[in-house]
Amino acid sequence: MIFLRGKGIIIAKKDIEEADRYITIFMEDYGKVSTVIKGIRKSKKRDKTAVDILSLTDFQFYKKNDSLIISNFSTIKDYIGIKSDIDKINIAFYIFSILNQILVENGRNRKIYEILEKTLDYLNSSNDERKNYLLILYFLYIIIKEEGIFVEDGTNIEGLQIEVQAKRKVEIDKNVKKILKYLFEDNLKVVINDEKYKIDYVKKAILVLENYINFNLDININAQKILWGALLW
């Protein structure tokens, strides 16, 4: 039996039976994996935080057929700065909802993993709500690139703006279009440094990218439900 080791972030959990927990981990080297931790909820000795959602954890495990069997684990980071702030929790859960839909079991994507870890590190210490939403916008942009639905000339994005405008029956503000333009030119620093791009514009830009991803990947991520609970338009 060969034991392996690697770190990963818990992106979903479900308590089952009386003491067990089913977890989904996005691992740096092994991608998205799911497994059951037996007896963890009644254990007084094991590190329960390590197998709770929104934890960066070091795992020791082995593989049996197509299953991953965890033998040991310990917390690397518990992101207490996120867990103590409901708005930050919602942002983290929104990102996790995206990952749980686009990642396939055992599918590896080191770039998305690295961006996720950097995103959580920043969010953990940030006190700037506007920059936190720009962080979401950038994460969506990375998803678009990594999933192969990125178009260099921005044609699809422009088309989606028209579609969103028709559905909402409102004009998409020119500042929202400028935010998306800078984003797709890898020049988001302009938006970060210019306070005229207010948080409401950033939220609307998030919805444009969200709709674009939902349409192209046939998934259902929903910022209005997870982040805001109400329509912006």
Side-chain angles (χ1 to χ4, degrees), residues 152-176:
E152 292 287 346
D153 63 8
T155 302
N156 285 355
I157 291 296
E158 184 65 29
L160 184 66
Q161 290 174 347
I162 295 171
E163 180 185 342
V164 171
Q165 177 178 323
K167 286 182 178 179
R168 306 290 185 183
K169 298 180 180 179
V170 294
E171 292 272 340
I172 293 179
D173 191 278
K174 65 180 181 180
N175 287 307
V176 176

Side-chain angles (χ1 to χ4, degrees), residues 42-95:
K42 288 189 175 181
S43 175
K44 295 182 179 179
K45 295 181 179 180
R46 307 190 84 184
D47 183 358
K48 294 180 183 179
T49 301
V51 290
D52 202 358
I53 195 168
L54 191 51
S55 292
L56 174 62
T57 301
D58 178 63
F59 292 98
Q60 187 176 17
F61 59 93
Y62 63 93
K63 290 188 175 182
K64 183 177 181 181
N65 298 324
D66 293 330
S67 299
L68 181 147
I69 310 299
I70 293 175
S71 60
N72 202 5
F73 46 83
S74 60
T75 302
I76 299 174
K77 294 180 184 177
D78 62 3
Y79 298 111
I80 192 63
I82 299 176
K83 292 177 180 177
S84 60
D85 185 312
I86 187 62
D87 291 327
K88 292 182 180 182
I89 290 173
N90 289 341
I91 291 172
F93 280 20
Y94 175 69
I95 290 171

Side-chain angles (χ1 to χ4, degrees), residues 2-228:
I2 299 175
F3 281 88
L4 303 170
R5 192 167 186 170
K7 67 176 179 176
I9 296 166
I10 316 296
I11 61 172
K13 75 167 185 178
K14 182 179 181 181
D15 291 337
I16 54 177
E17 304 298 336
E18 292 185 2
D20 303 339
R21 176 171 292 165
Y22 181 86
I23 60 172
T24 300
I25 316 162
F26 186 19
M27 301 192 74
E28 180 179 36
D29 296 321
Y30 303 97
K32 177 185 174 183
V33 294
S34 301
T35 189
V36 174
I37 308 294
K38 294 285 188 179
I40 184 62
R41 287 157 55 211
K42 288 189 175 181
S43 175
K44 295 182 179 179
K45 295 181 179 180
R46 307 190 84 184
D47 183 358
K48 294 180 183 179
T49 301
V51 290
D52 202 358
I53 195 168
L54 191 51
S55 292
L56 174 62
T57 301
D58 178 63
F59 292 98
Q60 187 176 17
F61 59 93
Y62 63 93
K63 290 188 175 182
K64 183 177 181 181
N65 298 324
D66 293 330
S67 299
L68 181 147
I69 310 299
I70 293 175
S71 60
N72 202 5
F73 46 83
S74 60
T75 302
I76 299 174
K77 294 180 184 177
D78 62 3
Y79 298 111
I80 192 63
I82 299 176
K83 292 177 180 177
S84 60
D85 185 312
I86 187 62
D87 291 327
K88 292 182 180 182
I89 290 173
N90 289 341
I91 291 172
F93 280 20
Y94 175 69
I95 290 171
F96 290 170
S97 75
I98 298 170
L99 295 175
N100 278 302
Q101 292 184 70
I102 68 167
L103 297 175
V104 297
E105 199 75 9
N106 299 312
R108 303 181 185 185
N109 192 313
R110 185 179 285 271
K111 176 66 174 180
I112 292 180
Y113 177 85
E114 289 173 353
I115 293 296
L116 173 63
E117 197 170 318
K118 289 178 181 178
T119 296
L120 294 179
D121 283 343
Y122 179 86
L123 189 61
N124 194 51
S125 59
S126 171
N127 292 311
D128 190 319
E129 185 182 21
R130 177 175 165 273
K131 287 182 179 178
N132 292 346
Y133 282 115
L134 284 168
L135 197 67
I136 297 174
L137 191 70
Y138 182 72
F139 190 87
L140 293 172
Y141 168 64
I142 293 297
I143 294 297
I144 287 171
K145 293 184 71 173
E146 289 299 306
E147 289 296 307
I149 56 174
F150 177 75
V151 179
E152 292 287 346
D153 63 8
T155 302
N156 285 355
I157 291 296
E158 184 65 29
L160 184 66
Q161 290 174 347
I162 295 171
E163 180 185 342
V164 171
Q165 177 178 323
K167 286 182 178 179
R168 306 290 185 183
K169 298 180 180 179
V170 294
E171 292 272 340
I172 293 179
D173 191 278
K174 65 180 181 180
N175 287 307
V176 176
K177 293 182 179 180
K178 285 185 178 179
I179 289 171
L180 293 171
K181 178 177 181 292
Y182 286 127
L183 176 68
F184 276 78
E185 291 174 348
D186 283 321
N187 200 14
L188 197 58
K189 286 185 178 180
V190 173
V191 180
I192 293 171
N193 295 328
D194 193 335
E195 293 291 335
K196 79 176 182 181
Y197 298 110
K198 301 183 184 300
I199 190 169
D200 283 347
Y201 300 142
V202 178
K203 289 180 178 180
K204 291 175 182 179
I206 287 171
L207 290 184
V208 172
L209 293 197
E210 179 184 89
N211 277 281
Y212 180 75
I213 292 170
N214 283 341
F215 176 80
N216 282 277
L217 298 183
D218 193 24
I219 61 175
N220 183 30
I221 52 176
N222 193 334
Q224 291 172 342
K225 179 179 179 181
I226 299 174
L227 296 176
W228 308 308

